[in-house]
Amino acid sequence: MNHDVSRSELRGPVQAAGGMFLVGTLAGISGVIGDYPVYGGQALRYLAAAVILLAVARLAGLRFLRLTPREVALLVALALTGLVLFNVCVIEGTRHGGPALVGTVLGAVPLALALFGGRPSRRVLGAATVVVAGTTVATGLGSGDPAGLLWALGALGCEVCFSVLALPLLPRLGAVRVSAYSTVLAVPLLTAAGLLADGTALVRVPTVPEAAGLAYQAVFVTSVAFLLWYDALPRLGRGTAGLFAGLIPVGAIVTGVVLGLSVPTWPDLLGAALVVAGIAIGLSPRGSPADGARSPAAPARRPAAAGSPGAHGPRSSGTSSPAAGSHRPARDG
């Protein structure tokens, strides 16, 4: 029994950490596909991911649920901001500033989620100052430039939407459906934008490295990361789950080094360290009411007991009924 409780308690943090690290690798992988048409490449990526996620839903025995107008609106907004615009911002930010800058700015996601809809305390405001200092060091003294910073800030806003817009959908639809439906919606949005921007140059035959990069994005950064994050988000609550986004700059820097795309300078590393330190200050257990614990937009549920619905991962979370999606307020500390 103790082992079951321990595994249940670890599940959310492990999933959140893995999902955010994989999201961080996007900045490094984006350097591999930097010369491929942006919209066409991302349309191919989400098309492949949609096929994978729909197959997962079918294998899990999840039937299609009739969506309400509100759910459709939220899913379209989620696909547009959290998927389409986010990836465009990351790719352009990487072109201008490198993966370290993009990863560093995205490291402020936990603080942004905590500030969203809450009343920040002096602790959180002090933490925000440290985060701003970190991004300034990475931009002004590191390898970034103003254009790269603006694209990275755009990615930050879109990443916040990726979580905030999904929270109302997860109790009824579950992680698998939200992931699958949003990726399906992203494909026509990207295709339409690509036709307007690039015309017949929307797609071309990718090189071997480009094909590998797009495949990695489809499988790991999209399919795996989405399922991990969306299953962890309602378990931990917005504020606590957001804390793990501090791993985004780690994933970005590690990927850039592994692929030989960039070598982070000491200001890049110092900026990343300051951002992570600010996040730790702002979201410490003794922290503020801005952590999202009291926000109605941050539902959380207790881990399900063994043998009950929701106890076996994204499959079961996708099968929950509206009644089964009830939850208690998050304990984000």
Side-chain angles (χ1 to χ4, degrees):
M1 178 66 71
N2 290 337
H3 290 294
D4 292 337
V5 172
S6 178
R7 290 177 182 176
S8 179
E9 292 175 347
L10 286 175
R11 175 174 168 174
V14 170
Q15 288 177 322
M20 287 296 99
F21 183 88
L22 288 174
V23 170
T25 66
L26 173 64
I29 296 298
S30 295
V32 177
I33 61 172
D35 294 329
Y36 196 86
V38 174
Y39 297 102
Q42 293 306 297
L44 292 175
R45 164 204 174 174
Y46 283 117
L47 178 60
V51 171
I52 294 172
L53 290 166
L54 289 173
V56 171
R58 183 175 181 83
L59 291 173
L62 303 181
R63 60 182 179 84
F64 179 81
L65 294 180
R66 185 181 297 274
L67 302 176
T68 66
R70 178 173 180 268
E71 288 171 337
V72 172
L74 285 171
L75 282 168
V76 171
L78 172 61
L80 179 62
T81 58
L83 280 65
V84 176
L85 294 179
F86 172 76
N87 287 280
V88 172
C89 288
V90 168
I91 291 172
E92 293 297 333
T94 302
R95 285 176 176 172
H96 288 275
L101 171 64
V102 177
T104 296
V105 175
L106 287 176
V109 167
L111 193 58
L113 286 173
L115 290 169
F116 186 88
R119 181 179 299 174
S121 67
R122 286 179 294 179
R123 175 186 291 274
V124 171
L125 290 177
T129 303
V130 176
V131 170
V132 170
T135 56
T136 301
V137 168
T139 306
L141 302 178
S143 57
D145 60 20
L149 176 61
L150 289 176
W151 283 112
L153 289 173
L156 172 63
C158 291
E159 180 66 13
V160 171
C161 292
F162 180 69
S163 296
V164 173
L165 293 174
L167 275 168
L169 297 167
L170 288 169
R172 190 173 90 93
L173 300 182
V176 176
R177 289 193 184 93
V178 171
S179 301
Y181 296 172
S182 60
T183 53
V184 169
L185 288 171
V187 176
L189 292 174
L190 284 162
T191 302
L195 289 173
L196 292 175
D198 302 320
T200 57
L202 172 65
V203 293
R204 61 170 171 80
V205 178
T207 64
V208 173
E210 288 172 342
L214 291 172
Y216 177 87
Q217 288 188 347
V219 175
F220 295 101
V221 182
T222 306
S223 301
V224 176
F226 280 28
L227 291 176
L228 290 175
W229 180 247
Y230 281 153
D231 194 57
L233 187 59
R235 292 176 180 275
L236 300 176
R238 186 185 66 216
T240 300
L243 179 64
F244 293 90
L247 292 173
I248 290 178
V250 178
I253 293 173
V254 169
T255 307
V257 172
V258 170
L259 296 179
L261 298 174
S262 64
V263 177
T265 63
W266 70 264
D268 290 329
L269 297 175
L270 177 59
L274 285 173
V275 169
V276 174
I279 291 165
I281 294 171
L283 299 178
S284 64
R286 294 171 297 171
S288 67
D291 288 352
R294 300 178 184 177
S295 170
R301 64 180 180 225
R302 297 184 184 274
S308 64
H312 303 290
R315 295 186 179 186
S316 57
S317 66
T319 60
S320 60
S321 64
S326 61
H327 39 263
R328 302 182 183 180
R331 295 182 298 166
D332 290 340

